[in-house]
Amino acid sequence: MLDHIKGFVQGVVLAPIVRLFVALKISPDAVTLVGTIGVAVGALAFYPRGELLAGTVFITCFVFSDLIDGAMARAVGRTSKFGAFWDSTLDRFGDGAVFGGLALYFAGPGDSDLYLALTLWCLVTGAVTSYARARAESLGFTANVGIAERADRLVLILVMTGLAGIFSLDMLIYIALWILAVASTITVVQRIWTVRRQALAEEAAS
């Protein structure tokens, strides 16, 4: 579902912006950097003050850079291993800022130790999910399994946080965090189990 939406947004909605940036000779790597900075500023400047809707709108304006930079790189034929590395590395900063901002919200205006801890758990498991796949691939295994990919996590938390800001209903964030906590934990376990099976099969074959 998200792949279809991504294809539509990238190929239709954002196409004019991609063409403009390419014409202006803007580097895809620069777009990635600016987008990450924008996400971090939005999350860390607005969420800790309880401005959930404003923060989500601000973040959304920059989060699309993740689609723009890739389309730009393909348009100018500049896809590279460094570009992929740069994009993945900065994604971790962006994700950390979003959940870090929410953690600060629950440490302040949100006033909940439980959801502060749950937000930090989502931050950690999200990072481990990405690391597990990267580490597996560096060892020659595959770990592209799981029920909570990065896009799923980001869309869910941003949508529910924005709605919580509109309706002044933190319960929506609570629901999203519980879903993410469970789904991310399951995904980490799935990836560990998948790599373990491959490692044992490799050892048996040798």
Side-chain angles (χ1 to χ4, degrees), residues 14-186:
L14 298 178
I17 298 176
V18 171
R19 289 194 294 270
L20 175 62
F21 285 3
V22 169
L24 293 174
K25 300 187 184 303
I26 297 174
S27 166
D29 291 342
V31 173
T32 306
L33 178 61
V34 171
T36 301
I37 292 172
V39 169
V41 169
L44 298 176
F46 290 98
Y47 284 172
R49 297 187 297 181
E51 298 175 6
L52 302 178
L53 178 59
T56 301
V57 171
F58 191 94
I59 290 168
T60 302
C61 291
F62 287 93
V63 80
F64 285 116
S65 67
D66 204 36
L67 300 178
I68 294 173
D69 56 6
M72 287 176 62
R74 288 189 293 274
V76 298
R78 287 182 53 188
T79 56
S80 66
K81 290 183 178 180
F82 174 76
F85 167 80
W86 177 248
D87 187 61
S88 295
T89 300
L90 292 189
D91 280 349
R92 304 290 80 75
F93 282 104
D95 294 352
V98 170
F99 286 97
L102 284 175
L104 291 173
Y105 168 70
F106 287 118
D111 192 25
S112 172
D113 290 340
L114 171 61
Y115 288 99
L116 166 59
L118 195 62
T119 301
L120 292 176
W121 178 253
C122 289
L123 191 161
V124 171
T125 53
V128 173
T129 295
S130 299
Y131 174 79
R133 178 173 177 175
R135 182 58 175 156
E137 291 175 350
S138 74
L139 294 171
F141 302 125
T142 59
N144 55 340
V145 297
I147 60 175
E149 295 285 350
R150 177 179 183 265
D152 304 317
R153 299 193 303 269
L154 199 57
V155 168
L156 178 60
I157 197 62
L158 289 179
V159 168
M160 296 299 264
T161 301
L163 290 175
I166 293 174
F167 298 109
S168 299
L169 197 60
D170 281 359
M171 178 60 68
L172 296 174
I173 307 178
Y174 300 164
I175 293 170
L177 289 173
W178 279 113
I179 292 173
L180 288 177
V182 173
S184 296
T185 301
I186 291 174

